[in-house]
């Protein structure tokens, strides 16, 4: 009787090693997804804003006010307001004006008015009779908090 030598012992070892490697890779991928999902999930504040006043002088808008009517308090540093004035010889460019809160607070709460003052210069003018579309964004998330439109005439 011939005795056979078994040389298949190497294959099971390689198979077990491959299974271990696959298991470690799958565990790493699952851990990566789990860690990514646990990141800080900021959301845009929920608040209601509406136009409060328009200050027109010499056929141009000096400023306009946007009043906080309800919802979350929002830090002023987290707010960006842009506007586009079109028609009435306005340029139609997107502009980012300077903003402040009446009373000088750093947080906009219910009842506060955000004062929007266009930058000086012909490119930033809001001419009398122009249609102004404004957007208030949350700088941390990039989400839109509020938007509106008005015609630049004294209220």
């Amino acid at each position: 009787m011939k005795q056979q030598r078994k040389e298949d012992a190497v294959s099971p070892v390689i198979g077990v090693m491959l299974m271990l490697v696959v298991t470690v890779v799958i565990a790493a991928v699952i851990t990566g997804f789990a860690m990514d999902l646990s990141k800080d999930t900021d959301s845009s504040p929920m608040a209601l804003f509406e136009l409060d006043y328009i200050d027109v002088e010499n056929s141009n808008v000096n400023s306009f006010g946007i009043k906080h009517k309800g919802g979350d308090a929002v830090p002023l540093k987290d707010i960006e307001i842009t506007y586009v004035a079109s028609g009435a010889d306005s340029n139609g460019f997107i502009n980012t004006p300077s903003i402040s809160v009446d009373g000088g607070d750093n947080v906009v709460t219910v009842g506060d008015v955000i004062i929007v003052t266009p930058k000086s210069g012909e490119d930033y003018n809001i001419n009398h009779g122009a249609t102004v579309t404004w957007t208030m964004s949350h700088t941390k998330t990039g989400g839109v908090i509020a938007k509106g439109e008005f015609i630049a005439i004294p209220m």
Side-chain angles (χ1 to χ4, degrees):
M1 208 180 222
K2 240 184 189 181
Q3 200 172 20
Q4 293 181 354
R5 277 184 18 177
K6 293 190 174 187
E7 295 181 19
D8 58 348
V10 175
S11 272
V13 171
I14 291 174
V16 169
M17 294 299 286
L18 285 173
M19 285 192 319
L20 284 173
V21 168
V22 168
T23 304
V24 169
V25 168
I26 289 173
V29 168
I30 290 172
T31 303
F33 279 120
M35 293 299 184
D36 189 41
L37 294 176
S38 67
K39 283 185 179 177
D40 189 18
T41 55
D42 282 343
S43 61
S44 298
M46 299 296 289
L48 175 65
F49 288 88
E50 70 178 28
L51 185 69
D52 188 55
Y53 72 87
I54 304 169
D55 178 19
V56 178
E57 182 181 314
N58 297 331
S59 297
N60 288 325
V61 173
N62 286 339
S63 65
F64 58 94
I66 301 172
K67 188 170 189 171
H68 189 303
K69 300 292 279 187
D72 297 336
V74 186
L76 188 62
K77 67 179 178 57
D78 295 342
I79 294 175
E80 178 182 65
I81 297 178
T82 58
Y83 70 86
V84 175
S86 57
D89 295 328
S90 293
N91 61 24
F93 296 139
I94 296 174
N95 296 295
T96 306
S98 61
I99 59 173
S100 60
V101 179
D102 60 346
D105 293 335
N106 291 327
V107 177
V108 183
T109 57
V110 176
D112 287 344
V113 176
I114 298 174
I115 302 164
V116 181
T117 308
K119 296 176 183 174
S120 59
E122 193 172 307
D123 287 342
Y124 305 105
N125 285 346
I126 302 174
N127 297 323
H128 184 271
T131 300
V132 178
T133 304
W134 58 271
T135 303
M136 181 184 302
S137 302
H138 189 239
T139 56
K140 286 186 174 180
T141 62
V144 174
I145 299 171
K147 58 167 95 175
E149 185 175 277
F150 64 89
I151 297 175
I153 55 175
M155 294 178 75

